[in-house]
Amino acid sequence: MHAVLAGFLPIWVITALGWTAARFDLLGDQAQTVLGRFAFTFAMPSLLFLTMSRSHIGDLATAAVGVFALSLLIVFAAALAAGRRIFRHRQADQAIGAMCASYVNSANLGIPVAVHVLHDTSFIVAAALFQMLFVTPLILILIDLDTHRGVGDAWSRMLRLPFRNPVIAASAAGLLVAATGLTLPDEVVSPVQLLGGAGVPSALFALGMSLHARSRPTPAARAERRLLVVLKTVVHPLLAYLLARYAFSLSGHALFAVVLCAGLPTAQNAFIYASEYRLATDLPRDTVLLTTLLSMVTLTLIAYVLG
């Protein structure tokens, strides 16, 4: 339990500071919007660029990463279908809901948990790489095609998306650096690294500020929130376990790593993406908070049973 708490503590502290700043109006009315846009436009792209530039695509070619990817995509598809057929959302909100149900907090929470519980970060890094390389572009394409519906040809917009979206552009640039084997000079790495270090704190701070203006959800919104929380904290790790053990015959440390990673809570990126595209933010905000809270229990249980 102590090992899991060590990863959660910074999240709660920074989120609480954001709520305090909004509660006492310390930063002004536009602070939440500005912080969210700063995270999306500058800080997160810097972090993604460095991560991708140091990545090895070959790390994805393992059975354990395949199980994690398959379980994530199944839950993503289920949540996407629920958003469309049950809750009747537009495509962009469907994508955010699917992200809430499946996209794990692999960086600022996954890595500390991996260090303390798995004593090895290699699988978490590979899982994060899969999300950045494949899932993030999918989500942003679904959002962009909906929010800009009727603005030019859809295929043309998809092809231009890497040049218009800083998150995808930075990831693509980092991947290019990794593929070519370039060694970036310290004069380039240092400022980008410094800027990237602000990505997670600014996103969490903006998330905390949004809690001050929290409104009462409708019955339909509560039902959807419950569904997404159950999908993320229960269905995703359980599905990963069943696939890993019975379909891929994984055991031991590999099985433990897959299930623990699938049990991580929703990444705060869901809230940032919804904010940046001016979509409804209540659902991703609440899902991030609730899954983060509940996963303290589920991750401890996973560690107890499989560790």
Side-chain angles (χ1 to χ4, degrees):
M1 185 64 175
H2 179 269
V4 175
L5 284 174
F8 280 96
L9 184 60
I11 293 176
W12 290 119
V13 170
I14 297 174
T15 303
L17 288 173
W19 179 89
T20 303
R23 171 66 178 81
F24 296 101
D25 194 23
L26 299 179
L27 300 178
D29 295 338
Q30 299 301 315
Q32 179 189 327
T33 301
V34 172
L35 276 173
R37 182 153 294 182
F38 166 76
F40 182 86
T41 308
F42 294 103
M44 283 185 175
S46 298
L47 179 62
L48 289 171
F49 171 77
L50 287 179
T51 301
M52 298 297 283
S53 68
R54 297 166 177 169
S55 65
H56 301 282
I57 305 302
D59 293 343
L60 299 180
T62 67
V65 175
V67 172
F68 172 76
L70 182 58
S71 65
L72 187 156
L73 292 175
I74 291 173
V75 174
F76 185 93
L80 199 67
R84 178 181 178 84
R85 299 184 180 278
I86 299 175
F87 302 106
R88 305 295 182 182
H89 288 314
R90 59 184 291 192
Q91 180 176 290
D93 287 315
Q94 293 170 31
I96 291 295
M99 184 179 185
C100 289
S102 60
Y103 199 101
V104 306
N105 190 337
S106 58
N108 62 302
L109 180 58
I111 289 177
V113 169
V115 169
H116 292 290
V117 180
L118 295 174
H119 308 293
D120 177 19
T121 61
S122 58
F123 179 79
I124 293 292
V125 171
L129 181 60
F130 167 75
Q131 291 193 145
M132 295 174 197
L133 196 57
F134 296 104
V135 185
T136 295
L138 172 62
I139 292 167
L140 293 177
I141 286 171
L142 290 173
I143 294 173
D144 190 87
L145 290 179
D146 183 28
T147 54
H148 294 85
R149 193 182 299 274
V151 183
D153 177 69
W155 285 106
S156 176
R157 290 196 59 81
M158 287 177 60
L159 292 174
R160 297 198 313 270
L161 187 60
F163 303 99
R164 296 184 292 105
N165 187 294
V167 170
I168 297 181
S171 299
L175 190 61
L176 180 63
V177 170
T180 56
L182 292 176
T183 300
L184 299 175
D186 291 341
E187 292 80 4
V188 173
V189 172
S190 294
V192 176
Q193 191 169 31
L194 190 62
L195 190 57
V200 171
S202 58
L204 289 173
F205 205 93
L207 178 68
M209 294 189 75
S210 72
L211 293 175
H212 178 59
R214 185 178 180 182
S215 58
R216 184 181 296 273
T218 64
R222 285 197 295 270
E224 184 175 13
R225 183 178 64 188
R226 284 195 295 269
L227 174 62
L228 297 181
V229 169
V230 169
L231 284 172
K232 185 72 226 59
T233 58
V234 178
V235 175
H236 193 183
L238 180 60
L239 178 61
Y241 174 80
L242 294 174
L243 288 172
R245 182 160 187 177
Y246 298 108
F248 288 78
S249 300
L250 296 183
S251 61
H253 184 79
L255 175 65
F256 184 22
V258 170
V259 179
L260 189 73
C261 187
L264 290 168
T266 304
Q268 65 273 3
N269 301 34
F271 171 78
I272 294 299
Y273 294 171
S275 299
E276 177 63 22
Y277 282 92
R278 293 176 172 78
L279 303 172
T281 58
D282 288 0
L283 184 65
R285 177 200 62 205
D286 292 349
T287 306
V288 169
L289 289 169
L290 289 173
T291 57
T292 301
L293 179 62
L294 292 174
S295 63
M296 294 174 65
V297 177
T298 56
L299 290 175
T300 302
L301 181 61
I302 291 169
Y304 178 77
V305 174
L306 298 178

